[in-house]
Amino acid sequence: MDASRSVNPVLEKWNRLSRSAVGRWVFSRGLALFVPYSGTIGPQVQRLEPGRAVIRMRDRRRVRNHLRSIHAAALLNLTELTGGLLATVSMPADARMIITGVSVDFLKKARGLLEAEGSCPVPQSNERAEIEVQVAIRDTSSEVVARGTVRALVGPVPAK
């Protein structure tokens, strides 16, 4: 089996662990340890597949601002993590990616449990291309509190 057809290693770990609440917690905790800055928001991965991701963030004092709402930087962090993780699991196993840009529109004060849902096209090869991941962050009443775009440059893993 050639590398372009093998399973993406991050997606493979998710598929193995996501069958139970404990497994999803282990994956989310491992992600927070692997990406320390993004781990500061306490991400909880709920769904992850090529083209779609859902990540939750609880409302805690450490992510709040002086207005008693979730800080814009925490929302940006959640957007970037959702988009970056989604781009990672959407590309072929023989590709790599780097985020080249993130933009977020803050639509209303964010409070309570938030859920970021990302969607993107799924690259069919490791050819150099930019993909855009769209992320919407909703509160518990399903109102969109922030909307963002993560741009990622996908390309082949260099030969050793």
Side-chain angles (χ1 to χ4, degrees):
M1 179 179 275
D2 70 316
S4 65
R5 299 232 182 251
S6 65
V7 178
N8 180 295
V10 177
L11 186 58
E12 182 178 35
K13 285 178 182 54
W14 169 255
N15 288 340
R16 194 168 5 98
L17 292 169
S18 66
R19 296 181 190 125
S20 71
V22 171
R24 288 187 298 276
W25 180 87
V26 168
F27 182 89
S28 297
R29 187 68 184 124
L31 177 64
L33 292 171
F34 187 72
V35 188
Y37 180 74
S38 294
T40 62
I41 63 169
Q44 302 165 359
V45 181
Q46 301 298 304
R47 185 170 183 164
L48 192 56
E49 61 192 46
R52 183 157 185 258
V54 177
I55 300 178
R56 289 185 183 153
M57 179 178 75
R58 291 182 312 128
D59 185 346
R60 302 182 333 264
R61 186 178 190 287
R62 73 173 18 191
V63 297
R64 285 190 153 233
N65 60 26
H66 63 289
L67 302 173
R68 295 187 311 271
S69 61
I70 297 175
H71 197 286
L75 295 172
L76 176 71
N77 192 340
L78 180 58
T79 301
E80 188 264 345
L81 177 64
T82 302
L85 184 58
L86 179 52
T88 298
V89 302
S90 295
M91 63 187 177
D94 63 343
R96 64 181 181 167
M97 74 92 191
I98 187 167
I99 293 174
T100 58
V102 179
S103 64
V104 180
D105 292 323
F106 306 105
L107 307 174
K108 66 175 277 191
K109 287 183 181 176
R111 294 189 172 104
L113 179 68
L114 300 180
E115 188 169 89
E117 183 170 355
S119 62
C120 73
V122 178
Q124 298 302 306
S125 74
N126 68 357
E127 288 182 36
R128 184 180 169 97
E130 185 172 85
I131 63 170
E132 284 193 355
V133 181
Q134 301 301 317
V135 178
I137 301 175
R138 292 180 174 80
D139 61 17
T140 54
S141 63
S142 295
E143 285 192 63
V144 176
V145 299
R147 191 176 304 280
T149 302
V150 177
R151 290 186 327 277
L153 182 61
V154 176
V157 174
K160 293 182 183 182

